[in-house]
Amino acid sequence: MFNLTAVQKAIAEQGFDGWLMCDFRGNNVLAQRIIELSTEKMSSRRWAYFVPAKGEPRKLVHRIESTALDHLPGSKTVYLPWQQYEAGMKHLVGDAKRVAMEYSPRNAVPYVSKVDAGTIELVRSFGVEVLSSGDLIQAFEATWDDEQEAMHFEAARLTDAAYGVAWKFLADEVRSKGSVTERAVQQKIMAYFESVNMTTYSPPIVGVNEHSGDPHFDTGDAPIKENDFVLIDLWAKMKKPRAVYSDLTRVGYVGKSVPEKYTKIFNIVAAGRDAGIAKVKDTLAAGKVLHGWEVDQATRDVIVKAGYGDYFVHRTGHSIGQETHGNGANIDNLETQDQRKIMRRTCFSIEPGIYLPEFGVRSEVNVYIDGQGKVHVTGGELQTEVLAVMAKY
């Protein structure tokens, strides 16, 4: 149920006069989720909902769909011609001067930019300063309650254990048959997820040799043999309502002793990962505000300094929630400059990688900030070296 008190509290805390949510034909999925608008009901006309920091909210709906927002508190204005719509929008914002909308300056954070430029122009014509609702969105879309926190810790324990299942299966198959396909390892992981009551929107990535150098490799039927290099990226959540994901990546060498060329690249990636974790812990421990882009930069600097910046081709991490890629701050100063704040009760991945033509290394962990500001790195012990699969299993 829409919690007006909590929304107004967040609006005031973030220094806005109000939050203007509007939509046309489902373009603004974030606003729909915040106000809990049913996706089953047809919505073909523009609507808007303004929540002031204090006082009664105001609704604007078309005559044909006049009941669209009746589940929300506040007064209602019904429009028909476009002139009434524009006048209605002006009435909605009233004397507010600083209004949050699903907008990002220069489209710096496209995940937030859901309102079209024309609507922004209209609102600005009322003398209103339009600011990004990015941190408001994540306050309601990305934060976890105690139950979700517990489900993440459970998922992290089980996804960590999935690696033992996968590596042992791989080693046993190579010993007994000489090889095993990427897909067979993938299917083994999926069977394990089912056995421990977990689910995932898509199966894990299993990439051998040059396939590990493709960050979004589509797992196929390539054989994995002794002396091969393997990357496994897996993600899953508990089969429970409102469950949240754990998302991990590790690498292994199908042999008893790992060649130096793999160790060298892994050590650089791991150092970048650890620099990102340290940035989170140190900044929050000092009581300072931290943004997603800053964590990316701390991680990226390590890899750039080592001479492999051109081979680190994606952001450092992403928000994690009920979807693997959630609606909170991403760890990104490459694809975007994510200026959203790292907030308590949110989770994100730190997963730097170096992708060379013959192989690629990625090391992924999840970082969760609890309600007291404590930083949890979840998913078992950090991988500190390339796993020598045949020596361990």
Side-chain angles (χ1 to χ4, degrees), residues 278-389:
K279 179 67 175 179
V280 176
K281 290 183 174 180
D282 294 347
T283 304
L284 296 185
K288 297 179 181 178
V289 173
L290 180 64
H291 304 90
W293 73 266
E294 295 176 279
V295 184
D296 177 278
Q297 197 60 55
T299 303
R300 193 169 303 279
D301 283 346
V302 173
I303 294 175
V304 170
K305 186 176 180 180
Y308 289 91
D310 289 344
Y311 300 95
F312 182 11
V313 295
H314 57 70
R315 64 193 175 195
T316 290
H318 57 82
S319 169
I320 295 174
Q322 294 184 56
E323 294 84 26
T324 315
H325 290 220
N327 290 318
N330 292 320
I331 309 306
D332 191 4
N333 196 30
L334 177 70
E335 301 169 42
T336 70
Q337 186 180 64
D338 202 320
Q339 298 182 355
R340 287 175 290 182
K341 298 174 184 175
I342 300 297
M343 301 175 66
R344 292 186 179 188
R345 290 191 172 276
T346 63
C347 183
F348 50 88
S349 68
I350 291 182
E351 49 179 302
I354 294 175
Y355 305 95
L356 304 175
E358 62 271 28
F359 71 96
V361 174
R362 180 164 66 252
S363 181
E364 179 179 14
V365 297
N366 300 163
V367 177
Y368 173 65
I369 319 299
D370 69 20
Q372 288 69 49
K374 182 179 177 180
V375 179
H376 302 261
V377 180
T378 67
E381 294 183 2
L382 291 176
Q383 184 171 11
T384 57
E385 59 185 4
V386 177
L387 178 70
V389 178

Side-chain angles (χ1 to χ4, degrees), residues 239-296:
K239 285 185 181 179
K240 298 177 182 178
R242 301 172 57 254
V244 292
Y245 273 87
S246 170
D247 184 2
L248 308 172
T249 305
R250 293 175 188 166
V251 291
Y253 175 73
V254 188
K256 293 184 178 180
S257 178
V258 179
E260 173 60 24
K261 67 177 182 178
Y262 300 125
T263 297
K264 175 187 173 183
I265 299 302
F266 176 84
N267 287 344
I268 297 169
V269 170
R273 175 201 67 199
D274 295 347
I277 295 170
K279 179 67 175 179
V280 176
K281 290 183 174 180
D282 294 347
T283 304
L284 296 185
K288 297 179 181 178
V289 173
L290 180 64
H291 304 90
W293 73 266
E294 295 176 279
V295 184
D296 177 278

Side-chain angles (χ1 to χ4, degrees), residues 86-106:
E86 292 193 356
M89 289 289 279
K90 185 174 183 179
H91 169 71
L92 249 60
V93 298
D95 58 1
K97 296 301 180 186
R98 290 170 50 85
V99 170
M101 297 182 71
E102 283 66 71
Y103 149 80
S104 176
R106 299 168 61 116

Side-chain angles (χ1 to χ4, degrees), residues 22-23 29 35 46 50 82 104 118 126 130-131 134 173 175 178-179 221 235-236 244 250 256-257 273 283 302 329 345:
C22 50
D23 183 46
V29 65
I35 67 169
R46 291 178 288 187
F50 181 71
W82 64 265
S104 176
F126 308 144
V130 177
L131 302 162
E173 291 291 288
R175 283 196 186 95
S179 69
D221 291 310
W235 50 89
V244 292
R250 293 175 188 166
K256 293 184 178 180
S257 178
R273 175 201 67 199
T283 304
V302 173
R345 290 191 172 276

Side-chain angles (χ1 to χ4, degrees), residues 2-78:
F2 180 76
N3 188 332
L4 176 60
T5 300
V7 171
Q8 289 188 312
K9 182 175 183 290
I11 292 169
E13 287 177 347
Q14 296 191 27
F16 301 119
D17 296 326
W19 186 357
L20 178 60
M21 290 170 271
C22 50
D23 183 46
F24 176 60
R25 293 190 171 182
N27 289 335
N28 190 350
V29 65
L30 297 176
Q32 291 179 55
R33 292 176 66 158
I34 294 298
I35 67 169
E36 300 180 4
L37 185 67
S38 173
T39 56
E40 296 179 0
K41 293 178 66 175
M42 177 178 165
S43 178
S44 62
R45 301 298 192 274
R46 291 178 288 187
W47 59 259
Y49 187 56
F50 181 71
V51 182
K54 293 181 180 180
E56 183 184 37
R58 297 186 283 275
K59 297 176 269 192
L60 180 65
V61 291
H62 191 277
R63 185 184 296 178
I64 290 176
E65 296 171 355
S66 62
T67 63
L69 304 182
D70 279 3
H71 66 291
L72 297 168
S75 60
K76 178 168 67 175
T77 297
V78 179

